[in-house]
Amino acid sequence: MNPASGHNGGQSANNPGGDGLLALLGKVCGSDNVLTGDDAARYGRDWRGQYVSQPLAVVRPATTGQVSAVLQAASAAKLAVTPMGGNTGLVGGTLAEGGLVVSLERMNKIRAIDARGRSAAVDAGLIVADLDTALAEHGLRFPLSFGAQGSAMIGGALSTNAGGANVLAHGMSRALCLGLEVVMPDGQIFNDMLDLRKNNTGLDLKQLFIGAEGTLGIITGAVLALTDRPVVHATALIALAGYEEGLAVLNRLRRANGVCVEAFEVMPRSYFQQMSRCTAAHASPLSGDPALTVLAELASSSPADCAQGPDGAVPLTERLTTTLSDCLEEGLISDAVIAQTGQQRSDMWRLRDIAPELSLGVRPVVAADVSVPVRLIGDFASSLEAALAAADADALVWMVGHLGDGNLHVVVSPTVKTPSNLARIRAIIDSETVGHNGSFSAEHGIGIQKLASMMAHKDPVALDLMRRIKTAFDPSGIMNPGKVIPTRSTSGDATTERHPKQQATPHPEKEIRKA
């Protein structure tokens, strides 16, 4: 059978795919941890309610051994299995109609922290923010920062190769993973939980599971690289005329501060225009109506950067101020405001973090997550805006993203919201992205949402290799079927996001200012 159909719920009690399987799972994990019907309903929808399904059952194992037993049973029954972490995804990666959802929420332990070696071994169900909180007493952190970190889990972050605001300094999730534990579709346990920065012993198999979205196995544990916890942050909002100026300022900051530059988030005018249409407006302290607003942040734990001078000045903040002052004098920027308190820093970040709320009242929208070579980001943004305007002059279009790594999130609310038109808009975005040597999926993954994009734009040889790897690892095809790797032409669909409303209020001053 094709497990993608997931229709095993009608099998008899004597068949391991029906009640017999559920009874077996109850013995493995405890009957209270096998949920069906209404109890399973909340696991059948993503956090936005965009992708809704009815799983046959949800099982909540507490150990790697239990996950192994669950997959052995599912493999014998040829029952589709969908792994689930915090369910914070945006692309339908946990849709599980008629299949078995394996929730890792009970596998939430920190197995070990090596403060001297700067690593931690953790369960895959540990919430990202909870790990970071636990590391604070050691003066360390897990430097993966993104909007859903308060509910997203380590396994999900690795399965989707999550990015976020700190990619500029620390890389994507795969760069932060030293070792991995994975339960294979037949229940075998792949144990590569090694705390090694160098390990050149053949194929780096763990990298196949990172970003595979649960299609090859279930990640149950990981060894993660840690960094020093910053003692001081220097944060600024910067007004610029365009992307080229933004990249020039970024490179100035890098030359002056090296790896201390952690974030360089870009918010074009269109983003603030959409913010002004929303209810809970948040004002930017910048003057005028800049074409681009950048949120730049430096962070350090070095005493040379953090120690206050006799006048109370912090060296890291002073370097930021000096660089921005030079840029202002040279005309690279038109205004800048530097945060002086933790609250002011939070207010600046709120302008960026509110992005998932800006679609309230205009759903459905097409929300694309794309990347292009950094040098082409300005050309890409202009070309895409022109193409979308030609396709729908009255559509609402806004962007926000990570300027330093070429990643833009593009949201379009078209005037015609039929599925076919939403798919047409996504195809335009994909075409412009690929035409600028870019990727139609930068950090959110593929799920079911981008299968058509994969079919249309991914190298056919790459798709063939992916299918062969999938078959080798999962010959019965039970692991998160129908996701990531297209088997035939697939229609595109739209995504939606939520938000309250906001308004930006200009400020008149014209200097590098303290907030």
Side-chain angles (χ1 to χ4, degrees):
M1 68 172 287
N2 175 11
S5 64
H7 295 302
N8 294 289
Q11 297 181 8
S12 73
N14 295 323
N15 188 313
D19 292 341
L21 173 64
L22 300 186
L24 175 59
L25 297 179
K27 290 180 181 177
V28 171
C29 300
S31 58
D32 290 346
N33 293 303
V34 179
L35 311 178
T36 58
D38 291 343
D39 293 334
R42 72 179 180 89
Y43 298 85
R45 56 189 291 123
D46 68 319
W47 66 276
R48 301 167 307 161
Q50 178 69 21
Y51 299 101
V52 181
S53 60
Q54 180 59 57
L56 168 70
V58 176
V59 60
R60 304 187 302 172
T63 66
T64 300
Q66 288 181 4
V67 175
S68 174
V70 167
L71 284 188
Q72 287 180 51
S75 179
K78 291 187 166 47
L79 177 65
V81 174
T82 298
M84 183 176 290
N87 200 22
T88 61
L90 298 168
V91 293
T94 55
L95 198 71
E97 184 65 39
L100 181 67
V101 169
V102 178
S103 169
L104 299 180
E105 61 194 319
R106 295 175 66 215
M107 295 185 62
N108 56 11
K109 304 293 190 300
I110 296 176
R111 302 183 188 182
I113 295 174
D114 179 1
R116 290 186 299 170
R118 299 188 183 193
S119 66
V122 303
D123 285 351
L126 180 65
I127 291 174
V128 173
D130 289 350
L131 171 59
D132 196 57
T133 298
L135 292 170
E137 65 180 273
H138 301 278
L140 299 171
R141 66 169 171 165
F142 179 53
L144 183 65
S145 176
F146 58 102
Q149 64 193 41
S151 50
M153 298 175 186
I154 294 295
L158 291 171
S159 291
T160 56
N161 188 28
N166 289 349
V167 167
L168 198 59
H170 304 289
M172 302 282 281
S173 294
R174 69 171 69 250
L176 299 169
C177 183
L178 303 176
L180 212 59
E181 177 185 82
V182 183
V183 179
M184 302 301 293
D186 61 1
Q188 291 189 86
I189 299 171
F190 167 64
N191 188 337
D192 190 32
M193 292 284 283
L194 297 174
D195 186 358
L196 298 173
R197 264 68 175 180
K198 289 183 175 180
N199 180 14
N200 198 12
T201 54
L203 299 179
D204 190 356
L205 294 174
K206 70 177 181 293
Q207 295 295 346
L208 289 174
F209 299 99
I210 299 173
E213 301 181 41
T215 60
L216 302 181
I218 298 181
I219 295 174
T220 52
V223 180
L224 304 171
L226 311 176
T227 66
D228 282 327
R229 197 170 199 86
V231 174
V232 66
H233 293 90
T235 309
L237 284 176
I238 308 167
L240 303 114
Y243 289 92
E244 288 303 314
E245 291 84 354
L247 292 175
V249 173
L250 172 59
N251 288 332
R252 291 282 190 92
L253 289 172
R254 281 170 156 167
R255 278 194 292 271
N257 301 279
V259 296
C260 292
V261 183
E262 289 208 327
F264 205 76
E265 302 292 284
V266 63
M267 297 169 280
R269 180 182 288 129
S270 62
Y271 178 80
F272 285 95
Q273 288 172 340
Q274 178 60 18
M275 195 183 294
S276 71
R277 300 181 186 106
C278 299
T279 50
H282 292 261
S284 167
L286 293 171
S287 61
D289 183 24
L292 289 184
T293 297
V294 161
L295 173 61
E297 183 160 275
L298 317 182
S300 179
S301 59
S302 167
D305 292 328
C306 306
Q308 289 188 357
D311 59 353
V314 176
L316 191 68
T317 304
E318 290 300 293
R319 289 207 306 273
L320 176 60
T321 303
T322 298
T323 301
L324 294 182
S325 296
D326 292 344
C327 291
L328 183 63
E329 246 182 70
E330 296 172 32
L332 282 175
I333 67 177
S334 60
D335 190 18
V337 179
I338 298 177
Q340 300 300 303
T341 68
Q343 183 58 55
Q344 289 168 358
R345 174 179 176 247
S346 296
D347 290 345
M348 290 181 179
W349 273 105
R350 177 59 177 155
L351 292 172
R352 172 62 180 88
D353 292 340
I354 204 170
E357 301 172 15
L358 297 187
S359 298
L360 185 65
V362 296
R363 295 185 299 164
V365 299
V366 177
D369 158 47
V370 303
S371 65
V372 296
V374 173
R375 72 182 186 280
L376 299 179
I377 192 167
D379 289 341
F380 165 73
S382 297
S383 180
L384 177 59
E385 286 172 346
L388 292 171
D392 185 348
D394 296 320
L396 298 178
V397 180
W398 65 96
M399 302 182 194
V400 65
H402 319 291
L403 182 55
D405 54 35
N407 177 195
L408 287 177
H409 303 287
V410 182
V411 186
V412 183
S413 175
T415 53
V416 178
K417 296 180 180 292
T418 61
S420 61
N421 192 54
L422 294 168
R424 181 177 74 100
I425 295 296
R426 185 174 295 282
I428 291 170
I429 298 171
D430 288 349
S431 178
E432 287 292 329
T433 302
V434 173
H436 285 81
N437 301 321
S439 168
F440 51 80
S441 183
E443 60 181 0
H444 290 167
I446 303 300
I448 62 171
Q449 182 192 93
K450 300 174 188 173
L451 289 173
S453 302
M454 287 284 280
M455 197 69 179
H457 298 293
K458 194 68 179 176
D459 174 38
V461 175
L463 286 176
D464 180 58
L465 290 171
M466 289 181 194
R467 293 184 184 111
R468 287 153 72 179
I469 291 169
K470 168 72 172 172
T471 299
F473 280 56
D474 181 22
S476 296
I478 67 168
M479 290 306 308
N480 212 9
K483 318 290 172 41
V484 183
I485 307 171
T487 55
R488 54 186 170 78
S489 182
T490 308
S491 297
D493 73 334
T495 61
T496 62
E497 296 174 296
R498 305 184 165 235
H499 328 256
K501 291 190 177 184
Q502 327 168 324
Q503 216 148 358
T505 305
H507 229 285
E509 290 148 80
K510 197 76 170 127
E511 62 195 66
I512 304 304
R513 292 175 281 122
K514 297 179 179 179

